[in-house]
Amino acid sequence: MHKRVYQKKDGRYIYLYGHQPHTLPPLEEGEATGAPSSHARWHPLRQEWVVYAAHRQGRVFLPPKEYDPLAPSKPGGFPTDIPFEDFEIAVLQNRWPSLSPRAGTPPDGLPVPTREANGDCEVVVFTPELTGSLATLGQAQRELLLRVWTDRYTDLLAREEIVFVMPFENRGVEVGVTIHHPHGQIYAYPWVPPILQKEVEAFRQRPVLLELLPELGPYTVQEDEHTLCVVPPFARYPYEVWVFPKRFHPGPWTFSDAEVSSFAQQLGQMVARYDKLFDRPFPYIMVLHAAPKGEEERFHFHVEFYPPLRSRDKLKYLAGTEIGSGTFAMDALPENTARELREVRL
């Protein structure tokens, strides 16, 4: 894998990854963005940090394809956020970050504790094409993407203030996507978020996922020698799927080449299976959970898919009991949804 580092005139970095070196000259850049301003406030009842980033109100929202900010720029055309005519995979610091190395100082006089929201937010552009998905990228591109995620983990976790890194993808307007171009994001946190802290505590007690392996037959959607895709028996969404390696890994940075190939293929096939389930592009949130800093000996890397659909044309809305108490109520059994997904013919 080759990597090129380029700094834009507004100070943000772009990382260009590919099977071949990227040597194209930069084109004209658009208007520079103002400095981000964000901070965190402590929630005394939930015992967690809440990030405030008011500058994000002005971010791009569902632009027409001719103004796609994640497309390659063209000479004389609309200056996108990537000032090059082509690329394989591009990673750039977010123009409207919630967490940033330049986050600024929290306001004074608040009645709760505050802290700087120092961290980073990056956008991972999967392809220069305006449309596509993990299912259509092609195996070589998916493997490259997995290696890109690995490189970003390595770079970001090397920073002293970063303790947890989370790549994710929001797919579909149903989950709030604001740009249709195939892409994901990476958030690098200066603290361990509450959901991950709970997972950390669970893995400290025992190897939860590896212990479950012998019991997951009825919940298995697809698998190969290295990777398993299951509807977890404790799923909180009807078609929730977890993907994880059968051998212990704290993150993809410890994968062998064979495991990289396997995991990339299983992710692509899983998205293809989702799309064929209802014969429509399947919306989801996909989150990579790797070990926070210091938990590499216990935390088992896994990917969680949270799809909002409970049928072809019905969304799974969170009800008052779920938002208000945090206790989810499911109207579909994991055993049944696993069978539905398993029976999809690719």
Side-chain angles (χ1 to χ4, degrees), residues 209-240:
L209 295 182
L210 293 178
E211 284 185 357
L212 276 174
L213 268 179
E215 311 298 329
L216 293 178
Y219 305 94
T220 298
V221 176
Q222 60 184 44
E223 64 180 315
D224 63 16
E225 178 185 358
H226 301 289
T227 307
L228 185 66
C229 301
V230 300
V231 175
F234 44 81
R236 300 186 304 166
Y237 294 86
Y239 295 99
E240 180 176 341

PDB file of all heavy atoms in Angstrom, residues 209-240:
ATOM      1  N   LEU A 209     -16.872 -12.905  23.332  1.00  0.00           N
ATOM      2  CA  LEU A 209     -17.198 -13.362  21.982  1.00  0.00           C
ATOM      3  C   LEU A 209     -16.638 -14.758  21.711  1.00  0.00           C
ATOM      4  O   LEU A 209     -17.315 -15.597  21.097  1.00  0.00           O
ATOM      5  CB  LEU A 209     -16.694 -12.361  20.945  1.00  0.00           C
ATOM      6  CG  LEU A 209     -17.362 -10.979  20.971  1.00  0.00           C
ATOM      7  CD1 LEU A 209     -16.819 -10.098  19.864  1.00  0.00           C
ATOM      8  CD2 LEU A 209     -18.877 -11.104  20.854  1.00  0.00           C
ATOM      9  N   LEU A 210     -15.420 -15.022  22.142  1.00  0.00           N
ATOM     10  CA  LEU A 210     -14.835 -16.340  21.910  1.00  0.00           C
ATOM     11  C   LEU A 210     -15.579 -17.415  22.711  1.00  0.00           C
ATOM     12  O   LEU A 210     -15.731 -18.548  22.238  1.00  0.00           O
ATOM     13  CB  LEU A 210     -13.348 -16.328  22.269  1.00  0.00           C
ATOM     14  CG  LEU A 210     -12.467 -15.477  21.362  1.00  0.00           C
ATOM     15  CD1 LEU A 210     -11.017 -15.504  21.828  1.00  0.00           C
ATOM     16  CD2 LEU A 210     -12.565 -15.950  19.908  1.00  0.00           C
ATOM     17  N   GLU A 211     -16.065 -17.077  23.887  1.00  0.00           N
ATOM     18  CA  GLU A 211     -16.855 -18.026  24.669  1.00  0.00           C
ATOM     19  C   GLU A 211     -18.178 -18.348  23.982  1.00  0.00           C
ATOM     20  O   GLU A 211     -18.699 -19.466  24.097  1.00  0.00           O
ATOM     21  CB  GLU A 211     -17.122 -17.476  26.070  1.00  0.00           C
ATOM     22  CG  GLU A 211     -15.939 -17.552  27.011  1.00  0.00           C
ATOM     23  CD  GLU A 211     -16.286 -17.120  28.420  1.00  0.00           C
ATOM     24  OE1 GLU A 211     -17.442 -16.696  28.655  1.00  0.00           O
ATOM     25  OE2 GLU A 211     -15.405 -17.201  29.287  1.00  0.00           O
ATOM     26  N   LEU A 212     -18.747 -17.371  23.274  1.00  0.00           N
ATOM     27  CA  LEU A 212     -20.024 -17.584  22.590  1.00  0.00           C
ATOM     28  C   LEU A 212     -19.903 -18.419  21.315  1.00  0.00           C
ATOM     29  O   LEU A 212     -20.901 -18.985  20.844  1.00  0.00           O
ATOM     30  CB  LEU A 212     -20.655 -16.235  22.235  1.00  0.00           C
ATOM     31  CG  LEU A 212     -21.469 -15.518  23.309  1.00  0.00           C
ATOM     32  CD1 LEU A 212     -21.877 -14.140  22.825  1.00  0.00           C
ATOM     33  CD2 LEU A 212     -22.702 -16.324  23.695  1.00  0.00           C
ATOM     34  N   LEU A 213     -18.712 -18.498  20.742  1.00  0.00           N
ATOM     35  CA  LEU A 213     -18.531 -19.133  19.434  1.00  0.00           C
ATOM     36  C   LEU A 213     -19.235 -20.485  19.299  1.00  0.00           C
ATOM     37  O   LEU A 213     -19.942 -20.720  18.305  1.00  0.00           O
ATOM     38  CB  LEU A 213     -17.038 -19.291  19.127  1.00  0.00           C
ATOM     39  CG  LEU A 213     -16.356 -18.162  18.347  1.00  0.00           C
ATOM     40  CD1 LEU A 213     -14.877 -18.464  18.159  1.00  0.00           C
ATOM     41  CD2 LEU A 213     -17.020 -17.965  16.995  1.00  0.00           C
ATOM     42  N   PRO A 214     -19.090 -21.419  20.249  1.00  0.00           N
ATOM     43  CA  PRO A 214     -19.727 -22.731  20.074  1.00  0.00           C
ATOM     44  C   PRO A 214     -21.253 -22.690  20.063  1.00  0.00           C
ATOM     45  O   PRO A 214     -21.895 -23.663  19.635  1.00  0.00           O
ATOM     46  CB  PRO A 214     -19.209 -23.535  21.285  1.00  0.00           C
ATOM     47  CG  PRO A 214     -18.008 -22.806  21.772  1.00  0.00           C
ATOM     48  CD  PRO A 214     -18.271 -21.366  21.479  1.00  0.00           C
ATOM     49  N   GLU A 215     -21.838 -21.577  20.520  1.00  0.00           N
ATOM     50  CA  GLU A 215     -23.292 -21.494  20.643  1.00  0.00           C
ATOM     51  C   GLU A 215     -23.944 -20.710  19.506  1.00  0.00           C
ATOM     52  O   GLU A 215     -25.159 -20.529  19.505  1.00  0.00           O
ATOM     53  CB  GLU A 215     -23.666 -20.810  21.975  1.00  0.00           C
ATOM     54  CG  GLU A 215     -22.960 -21.357  23.201  1.00  0.00           C
ATOM     55  CD  GLU A 215     -23.288 -22.826  23.452  1.00  0.00           C
ATOM     56  OE1 GLU A 215     -24.415 -23.248  23.110  1.00  0.00           O
ATOM     57  OE2 GLU A 215     -22.421 -23.534  24.000  1.00  0.00           O
ATOM     58  N   LEU A 216     -23.170 -20.241  18.551  1.00  0.00           N
ATOM     59  CA  LEU A 216     -23.690 -19.284  17.570  1.00  0.00           C
ATOM     60  C   LEU A 216     -24.188 -19.911  16.271  1.00  0.00           C
ATOM     61  O   LEU A 216     -24.540 -19.184  15.339  1.00  0.00           O
ATOM     62  CB  LEU A 216     -22.617 -18.225  17.270  1.00  0.00           C
ATOM     63  CG  LEU A 216     -22.286 -17.293  18.442  1.00  0.00           C
ATOM     64  CD1 LEU A 216     -21.171 -16.311  18.063  1.00  0.00           C
ATOM     65  CD2 LEU A 216     -23.516 -16.532  18.921  1.00  0.00           C
ATOM     66  N   GLY A 217     -24.253 -21.217  16.197  1.00  0.00           N
ATOM     67  CA  GLY A 217     -24.727 -21.871  14.976  1.00  0.00           C
ATOM     68  C   GLY A 217     -26.056 -21.356  14.469  1.00  0.00           C
ATOM     69  O   GLY A 217     -26.170 -20.948  13.298  1.00  0.00           O
ATOM     70  N   PRO A 218     -27.110 -21.306  15.310  1.00  0.00           N
ATOM     71  CA  PRO A 218     -28.419 -20.842  14.824  1.00  0.00           C
ATOM     72  C   PRO A 218     -28.445 -19.365  14.451  1.00  0.00           C
ATOM     73  O   PRO A 218     -29.389 -18.910  13.793  1.00  0.00           O
ATOM     74  CB  PRO A 218     -29.346 -21.099  16.027  1.00  0.00           C
ATOM     75  CG  PRO A 218     -28.628 -22.061  16.895  1.00  0.00           C
ATOM     76  CD  PRO A 218     -27.175 -21.777  16.706  1.00  0.00           C
ATOM     77  N   TYR A 219     -27.448 -18.629  14.889  1.00  0.00           N
ATOM     78  CA  TYR A 219     -27.414 -17.187  14.664  1.00  0.00           C
ATOM     79  C   TYR A 219     -26.462 -16.785  13.543  1.00  0.00           C
ATOM     80  O   TYR A 219     -26.365 -15.612  13.192  1.00  0.00           O
ATOM     81  CB  TYR A 219     -27.004 -16.472  15.961  1.00  0.00           C
ATOM     82  CG  TYR A 219     -27.881 -16.839  17.131  1.00  0.00           C
ATOM     83  CD1 TYR A 219     -27.523 -17.860  18.004  1.00  0.00           C
ATOM     84  CD2 TYR A 219     -29.087 -16.186  17.337  1.00  0.00           C
ATOM     85  CE1 TYR A 219     -28.340 -18.217  19.063  1.00  0.00           C
ATOM     86  CE2 TYR A 219     -29.924 -16.530  18.394  1.00  0.00           C
ATOM     87  CZ  TYR A 219     -29.535 -17.551  19.251  1.00  0.00           C
ATOM     88  OH  TYR A 219     -30.362 -17.905  20.290  1.00  0.00           O
ATOM     89  N   THR A 220     -25.763 -17.768  12.988  1.00  0.00           N
ATOM     90  CA  THR A 220     -24.763 -17.487  11.960  1.00  0.00           C
ATOM     91  C   THR A 220     -25.433 -17.178  10.630  1.00  0.00           C
ATOM     92  O   THR A 220     -26.304 -17.920  10.166  1.00  0.00           O
ATOM     93  CB  THR A 220     -23.795 -18.669  11.810  1.00  0.00           C
ATOM     94  OG1 THR A 220     -23.101 -18.854  13.047  1.00  0.00           O
ATOM     95  CG2 THR A 220     -22.785 -18.412  10.698  1.00  0.00           C
ATOM     96  N   VAL A 221     -25.019 -16.085  10.014  1.00  0.00           N
ATOM     97  CA  VAL A 221     -25.524 -15.689   8.706  1.00  0.00           C
ATOM     98  C   VAL A 221     -24.580 -16.187   7.615  1.00  0.00           C
ATOM     99  O   VAL A 221     -24.994 -16.759   6.610  1.00  0.00           O
ATOM    100  CB  VAL A 221     -25.687 -14.154   8.622  1.00  0.00           C
ATOM    101  CG1 VAL A 221     -26.120 -13.737   7.222  1.00  0.00           C
ATOM    102  CG2 VAL A 221     -26.683 -13.668   9.669  1.00  0.00           C
ATOM    103  N   GLN A 222     -23.284 -15.992   7.804  1.00  0.00           N
ATOM    104  CA  GLN A 222     -22.275 -16.457   6.861  1.00  0.00           C
ATOM    105  C   GLN A 222     -20.946 -16.509   7.585  1.00  0.00           C
ATOM    106  O   GLN A 222     -20.758 -15.861   8.619  1.00  0.00           O
ATOM    107  CB  GLN A 222     -22.196 -15.551   5.630  1.00  0.00           C
ATOM    108  CG  GLN A 222     -21.829 -14.105   5.962  1.00  0.00           C
ATOM    109  CD  GLN A 222     -21.835 -13.182   4.758  1.00  0.00           C
ATOM    110  OE1 GLN A 222     -22.728 -13.226   3.928  1.00  0.00           O
ATOM    111  NE2 GLN A 222     -20.813 -12.347   4.666  1.00  0.00           N
ATOM    112  N   GLU A 223     -20.003 -17.278   7.040  1.00  0.00           N
ATOM    113  CA  GLU A 223     -18.699 -17.402   7.663  1.00  0.00           C
ATOM    114  C   GLU A 223     -17.713 -18.008   6.687  1.00  0.00           C
ATOM    115  O   GLU A 223     -18.093 -18.551   5.654  1.00  0.00           O
ATOM    116  CB  GLU A 223     -18.773 -18.278   8.922  1.00  0.00           C
ATOM    117  CG  GLU A 223     -19.169 -19.714   8.654  1.00  0.00           C
ATOM    118  CD  GLU A 223     -19.225 -20.562   9.914  1.00  0.00           C
ATOM    119  OE1 GLU A 223     -18.281 -20.468  10.735  1.00  0.00           O
ATOM    120  OE2 GLU A 223     -20.199 -21.326  10.074  1.00  0.00           O
ATOM    121  N   ASP A 224     -16.436 -17.910   7.022  1.00  0.00           N
ATOM    122  CA  ASP A 224     -15.397 -18.661   6.338  1.00  0.00           C
ATOM    123  C   ASP A 224     -14.398 -19.116   7.397  1.00  0.00           C
ATOM    124  O   ASP A 224     -14.706 -19.112   8.595  1.00  0.00           O
ATOM    125  CB  ASP A 224     -14.751 -17.848   5.205  1.00  0.00           C
ATOM    126  CG  ASP A 224     -14.026 -16.591   5.683  1.00  0.00           C
ATOM    127  OD1 ASP A 224     -13.748 -16.466   6.901  1.00  0.00           O
ATOM    128  OD2 ASP A 224     -13.717 -15.722   4.845  1.00  0.00           O
ATOM    129  N   GLU A 225     -13.236 -19.492   6.983  1.00  0.00           N
ATOM    130  CA  GLU A 225     -12.250 -20.041   7.913  1.00  0.00           C
ATOM    131  C   GLU A 225     -11.870 -19.053   9.017  1.00  0.00           C
ATOM    132  O   GLU A 225     -11.611 -19.450  10.150  1.00  0.00           O
ATOM    133  CB  GLU A 225     -10.992 -20.464   7.142  1.00  0.00           C
ATOM    134  CG  GLU A 225      -9.882 -21.014   8.009  1.00  0.00           C
ATOM    135  CD  GLU A 225      -8.615 -21.316   7.221  1.00  0.00           C
ATOM    136  OE1 GLU A 225      -8.623 -21.131   5.972  1.00  0.00           O
ATOM    137  OE2 GLU A 225      -7.607 -21.714   7.839  1.00  0.00           O
ATOM    138  N   HIS A 226     -11.869 -17.763   8.694  1.00  0.00           N
ATOM    139  CA  HIS A 226     -11.328 -16.772   9.624  1.00  0.00           C
ATOM    140  C   HIS A 226     -12.367 -15.859  10.270  1.00  0.00           C
ATOM    141  O   HIS A 226     -12.117 -15.306  11.340  1.00  0.00           O
ATOM    142  CB  HIS A 226     -10.302 -15.896   8.899  1.00  0.00           C
ATOM    143  CG  HIS A 226      -9.158 -16.650   8.310  1.00  0.00           C
ATOM    144  ND1 HIS A 226      -8.176 -17.226   9.074  1.00  0.00           N
ATOM    145  CD2 HIS A 226      -8.854 -16.923   7.007  1.00  0.00           C
ATOM    146  CE1 HIS A 226      -7.296 -17.819   8.289  1.00  0.00           C
ATOM    147  NE2 HIS A 226      -7.683 -17.658   7.037  1.00  0.00           N
ATOM    148  N   THR A 227     -13.506 -15.660   9.615  1.00  0.00           N
ATOM    149  CA  THR A 227     -14.431 -14.592  10.010  1.00  0.00           C
ATOM    150  C   THR A 227     -15.853 -15.117  10.135  1.00  0.00           C
ATOM    151  O   THR A 227     -16.291 -15.949   9.327  1.00  0.00           O
ATOM    152  CB  THR A 227     -14.392 -13.451   8.976  1.00  0.00           C
ATOM    153  OG1 THR A 227     -13.033 -13.041   8.782  1.00  0.00           O
ATOM    154  CG2 THR A 227     -15.202 -12.253   9.444  1.00  0.00           C
ATOM    155  N   LEU A 228     -16.577 -14.590  11.122  1.00  0.00           N
ATOM    156  CA  LEU A 228     -17.951 -15.007  11.391  1.00  0.00           C
ATOM    157  C   LEU A 228     -18.870 -13.791  11.341  1.00  0.00           C
ATOM    158  O   LEU A 228     -18.539 -12.725  11.868  1.00  0.00           O
ATOM    159  CB  LEU A 228     -18.018 -15.638  12.782  1.00  0.00           C
ATOM    160  CG  LEU A 228     -19.341 -16.252  13.235  1.00  0.00           C
ATOM    161  CD1 LEU A 228     -19.681 -17.469  12.387  1.00  0.00           C
ATOM    162  CD2 LEU A 228     -19.265 -16.639  14.706  1.00  0.00           C
ATOM    163  N   CYS A 229     -20.035 -13.948  10.712  1.00  0.00           N
ATOM    164  CA  CYS A 229     -21.075 -12.908  10.684  1.00  0.00           C
ATOM    165  C   CYS A 229     -22.330 -13.493  11.339  1.00  0.00           C
ATOM    166  O   CYS A 229     -22.881 -14.484  10.855  1.00  0.00           O
ATOM    167  CB  CYS A 229     -21.404 -12.493   9.249  1.00  0.00           C
ATOM    168  SG  CYS A 229     -20.006 -11.859   8.304  1.00  0.00           S
ATOM    169  N   VAL A 230     -22.789 -12.879  12.422  1.00  0.00           N
ATOM    170  CA  VAL A 230     -23.927 -13.414  13.165  1.00  0.00           C
ATOM    171  C   VAL A 230     -24.909 -12.316  13.533  1.00  0.00           C
ATOM    172  O   VAL A 230     -24.532 -11.156  13.705  1.00  0.00           O
ATOM    173  CB  VAL A 230     -23.481 -14.126  14.470  1.00  0.00           C
ATOM    174  CG1 VAL A 230     -22.560 -15.289  14.174  1.00  0.00           C
ATOM    175  CG2 VAL A 230     -22.821 -13.148  15.436  1.00  0.00           C
ATOM    176  N   VAL A 231     -26.191 -12.696  13.634  1.00  0.00           N
ATOM    177  CA  VAL A 231     -27.156 -11.876  14.348  1.00  0.00           C
ATOM    178  C   VAL A 231     -26.972 -12.247  15.815  1.00  0.00           C
ATOM    179  O   VAL A 231     -27.233 -13.385  16.201  1.00  0.00           O
ATOM    180  CB  VAL A 231     -28.600 -12.173  13.897  1.00  0.00           C
ATOM    181  CG1 VAL A 231     -29.595 -11.382  14.753  1.00  0.00           C
ATOM    182  CG2 VAL A 231     -28.786 -11.827  12.425  1.00  0.00           C
ATOM    183  N   PRO A 232     -26.481 -11.349  16.646  1.00  0.00           N
ATOM    184  CA  PRO A 232     -26.205 -11.746  18.032  1.00  0.00           C
ATOM    185  C   PRO A 232     -27.493 -12.147  18.748  1.00  0.00           C
ATOM    186  O   PRO A 232     -28.554 -11.561  18.494  1.00  0.00           O
ATOM    187  CB  PRO A 232     -25.585 -10.483  18.651  1.00  0.00           C
ATOM    188  CG  PRO A 232     -25.986  -9.364  17.764  1.00  0.00           C
ATOM    189  CD  PRO A 232     -26.147  -9.931  16.392  1.00  0.00           C
ATOM    190  N   PRO A 233     -27.435 -13.158  19.601  1.00  0.00           N
ATOM    191  CA  PRO A 233     -28.641 -13.592  20.321  1.00  0.00           C
ATOM    192  C   PRO A 233     -29.202 -12.523  21.241  1.00  0.00           C
ATOM    193  O   PRO A 233     -30.308 -12.673  21.753  1.00  0.00           O
ATOM    194  CB  PRO A 233     -28.157 -14.821  21.111  1.00  0.00           C
ATOM    195  CG  PRO A 233     -26.673 -14.729  21.144  1.00  0.00           C
ATOM    196  CD  PRO A 233     -26.264 -14.001  19.914  1.00  0.00           C
ATOM    197  N   PHE A 234     -28.461 -11.430  21.419  1.00  0.00           N
ATOM    198  CA  PHE A 234     -28.907 -10.304  22.242  1.00  0.00           C
ATOM    199  C   PHE A 234     -29.135  -9.059  21.383  1.00  0.00           C
ATOM    200  O   PHE A 234     -29.068  -7.931  21.875  1.00  0.00           O
ATOM    201  CB  PHE A 234     -27.855 -10.002  23.318  1.00  0.00           C
ATOM    202  CG  PHE A 234     -26.436 -10.028  22.787  1.00  0.00           C
ATOM    203  CD1 PHE A 234     -25.896  -8.943  22.116  1.00  0.00           C
ATOM    204  CD2 PHE A 234     -25.661 -11.171  22.938  1.00  0.00           C
ATOM    205  CE1 PHE A 234     -24.603  -8.974  21.610  1.00  0.00           C
ATOM    206  CE2 PHE A 234     -24.353 -11.206  22.438  1.00  0.00           C
ATOM    207  CZ  PHE A 234     -23.834 -10.106  21.775  1.00  0.00           C
ATOM    208  N   ALA A 235     -29.420  -9.246  20.083  1.00  0.00           N
ATOM    209  CA  ALA A 235     -29.568  -8.129  19.141  1.00  0.00           C
ATOM    210  C   ALA A 235     -30.611  -7.124  19.630  1.00  0.00           C
ATOM    211  O   ALA A 235     -31.662  -7.499  20.169  1.00  0.00           O
ATOM    212  CB  ALA A 235     -29.952  -8.649  17.764  1.00  0.00           C
ATOM    213  N   ARG A 236     -30.336  -5.840  19.412  1.00  0.00           N
ATOM    214  CA  ARG A 236     -31.263  -4.774  19.783  1.00  0.00           C
ATOM    215  C   ARG A 236     -31.982  -4.198  18.565  1.00  0.00           C
ATOM    216  O   ARG A 236     -32.900  -3.385  18.714  1.00  0.00           O
ATOM    217  CB  ARG A 236     -30.526  -3.662  20.524  1.00  0.00           C
ATOM    218  CG  ARG A 236     -29.854  -4.139  21.813  1.00  0.00           C
ATOM    219  CD  ARG A 236     -29.265  -2.983  22.596  1.00  0.00           C
ATOM    220  NE  ARG A 236     -28.325  -2.217  21.773  1.00  0.00           N
ATOM    221  CZ  ARG A 236     -27.869  -1.003  22.102  1.00  0.00           C
ATOM    222  NH1 ARG A 236     -28.274  -0.425  23.214  1.00  0.00           N
ATOM    223  NH2 ARG A 236     -27.011  -0.377  21.323  1.00  0.00           N
ATOM    224  N   TYR A 237     -31.555  -4.573  17.354  1.00  0.00           N
ATOM    225  CA  TYR A 237     -32.220  -4.177  16.118  1.00  0.00           C
ATOM    226  C   TYR A 237     -32.564  -5.453  15.356  1.00  0.00           C
ATOM    227  O   TYR A 237     -31.818  -6.430  15.415  1.00  0.00           O
ATOM    228  CB  TYR A 237     -31.316  -3.279  15.267  1.00  0.00           C
ATOM    229  CG  TYR A 237     -31.029  -1.933  15.913  1.00  0.00           C
ATOM    230  CD1 TYR A 237     -29.981  -1.788  16.817  1.00  0.00           C
ATOM    231  CD2 TYR A 237     -31.818  -0.829  15.621  1.00  0.00           C
ATOM    232  CE1 TYR A 237     -29.718  -0.563  17.417  1.00  0.00           C
ATOM    233  CE2 TYR A 237     -31.560   0.405  16.215  1.00  0.00           C
ATOM    234  CZ  TYR A 237     -30.515   0.532  17.110  1.00  0.00           C
ATOM    235  OH  TYR A 237     -30.269   1.728  17.716  1.00  0.00           O
ATOM    236  N   PRO A 238     -33.690  -5.475  14.602  1.00  0.00           N
ATOM    237  CA  PRO A 238     -34.142  -6.720  13.978  1.00  0.00           C
ATOM    238  C   PRO A 238     -33.089  -7.403  13.097  1.00  0.00           C
ATOM    239  O   PRO A 238     -32.949  -8.622  13.148  1.00  0.00           O
ATOM    240  CB  PRO A 238     -35.350  -6.271  13.151  1.00  0.00           C
ATOM    241  CG  PRO A 238     -35.898  -5.101  13.900  1.00  0.00           C
ATOM    242  CD  PRO A 238     -34.686  -4.390  14.449  1.00  0.00           C
ATOM    243  N   TYR A 239     -32.350  -6.631  12.298  1.00  0.00           N
ATOM    244  CA  TYR A 239     -31.371  -7.242  11.395  1.00  0.00           C
ATOM    245  C   TYR A 239     -29.942  -6.839  11.763  1.00  0.00           C
ATOM    246  O   TYR A 239     -29.063  -6.753  10.905  1.00  0.00           O
ATOM    247  CB  TYR A 239     -31.699  -6.883   9.943  1.00  0.00           C
ATOM    248  CG  TYR A 239     -33.027  -7.469   9.516  1.00  0.00           C
ATOM    249  CD1 TYR A 239     -34.189  -6.690   9.520  1.00  0.00           C
ATOM    250  CD2 TYR A 239     -33.131  -8.813   9.167  1.00  0.00           C
ATOM    251  CE1 TYR A 239     -35.409  -7.238   9.167  1.00  0.00           C
ATOM    252  CE2 TYR A 239     -34.353  -9.370   8.811  1.00  0.00           C
ATOM    253  CZ  TYR A 239     -35.487  -8.576   8.818  1.00  0.00           C
ATOM    254  OH  TYR A 239     -36.701  -9.134   8.467  1.00  0.00           O
ATOM    255  N   GLU A 240     -29.722  -6.622  13.031  1.00  0.00           N
ATOM    256  CA  GLU A 240     -28.374  -6.330  13.536  1.00  0.00           C
ATOM    257  C   GLU A 240     -27.445  -7.512  13.254  1.00  0.00           C
ATOM    258  O   GLU A 240     -27.826  -8.674  13.423  1.00  0.00           O
ATOM    259  CB  GLU A 240     -28.452  -6.076  15.032  1.00  0.00           C
ATOM    260  CG  GLU A 240     -27.121  -5.745  15.704  1.00  0.00           C
ATOM    261  CD  GLU A 240     -27.300  -5.403  17.174  1.00  0.00           C
ATOM    262  OE1 GLU A 240     -28.430  -5.066  17.582  1.00  0.00           O
ATOM    263  OE2 GLU A 240     -26.308  -5.466  17.912  1.00  0.00           O
TER     264      GLU A 240
END
